[in-house]
Amino acid sequence: LQLWAGHGVGMTPCHFDAMDNFLAQLEGRKSVLVYPPHCSFDLYPYPTGHPADNFAMADPERPDLGRWPGLARATALEAELAPGDVLWLPRYHWHLVRQVPDACGGEHPPPFSPNLSLSAWVGGKGTEAFRAEADAAYAAAKLAEAAEAVCEGEQEQGEQEQ
């Protein structure tokens, strides 16, 4: 179990967990973007073996499509959690979690809105199989990009010859 405590302005960058996670909101609200595993390479994960290899290099909240063009293909579901809500995050589903400050200026106006949630990870890890599959998919994506670049180069050369 992990208790997450904040004051209404915190966030966790886009990442995946190797185990299923039940995220229970206890106080305050959270906004959660959830991406399925097939969006992995559109989120540009850090390379396998990097200390942050379960985090995305691209920021879905501030998309730089010049640097991360695949981000335009990544589609997320969005959920807003209120006290008493529980969200199941299946393993390898990418998610970005942001605390939502008390916009009503209630008892604790921003940025001092208490925010508490609890994560419970369950099931087994499948990290090695996932990484092997991810590395193979990455290699295939890079080959496809290279083939596309070669085809574009040949097409440009043909146009110049005409």
Side-chain angles (χ1 to χ4, degrees):
L1 293 177
Q2 171 78 46
L3 179 66
W4 303 100
H7 49 81
V9 294
M11 65 92 65
T12 302
C14 191
H15 70 286
F16 69 84
D17 296 312
M19 296 175 70
D20 291 342
N21 178 7
F22 288 93
L23 177 62
Q25 190 64 24
L26 306 175
E27 185 171 349
R29 294 176 314 160
K30 284 201 168 123
S31 173
V32 185
L33 292 177
V34 181
Y35 295 87
H38 74 262
C39 290
S40 290
F41 293 104
D42 295 330
L43 296 168
Y44 299 88
Y46 283 94
T48 302
H50 186 279
D53 63 3
N54 65 320
F55 281 81
M57 291 188 286
D59 182 352
E61 290 189 314
R62 292 176 198 84
D64 179 350
L65 298 181
R67 186 171 184 195
W68 315 112
L71 198 53
R73 292 186 299 268
T75 54
L77 296 176
E78 186 170 4
E80 186 163 309
L81 304 180
D85 290 342
V86 177
L87 178 64
W88 173 50
L89 295 163
R91 70 181 181 171
Y92 306 130
H93 279 67
W94 293 85
H95 50 286
L96 181 150
V97 183
R98 177 172 294 288
Q99 297 174 22
V100 178
D102 183 358
C104 300
E107 183 181 343
H108 303 283
F112 304 106
S113 306
N115 200 295
L116 293 172
S117 58
L118 187 66
S119 283
W121 287 277
V122 298
K125 289 185 178 182
T127 304
E128 292 309 315
F130 176 77
R131 286 186 176 159
E133 195 173 308
D135 286 345
Y138 180 74
K142 285 298 184 186
L143 283 172
E145 284 178 16
E148 186 176 322
V150 168
C151 289
E152 287 175 3
E154 289 175 355
Q155 183 180 8
E156 288 175 7
Q157 184 179 3
E159 290 171 359
Q160 289 174 355
E161 292 174 359
Q162 292 177 359

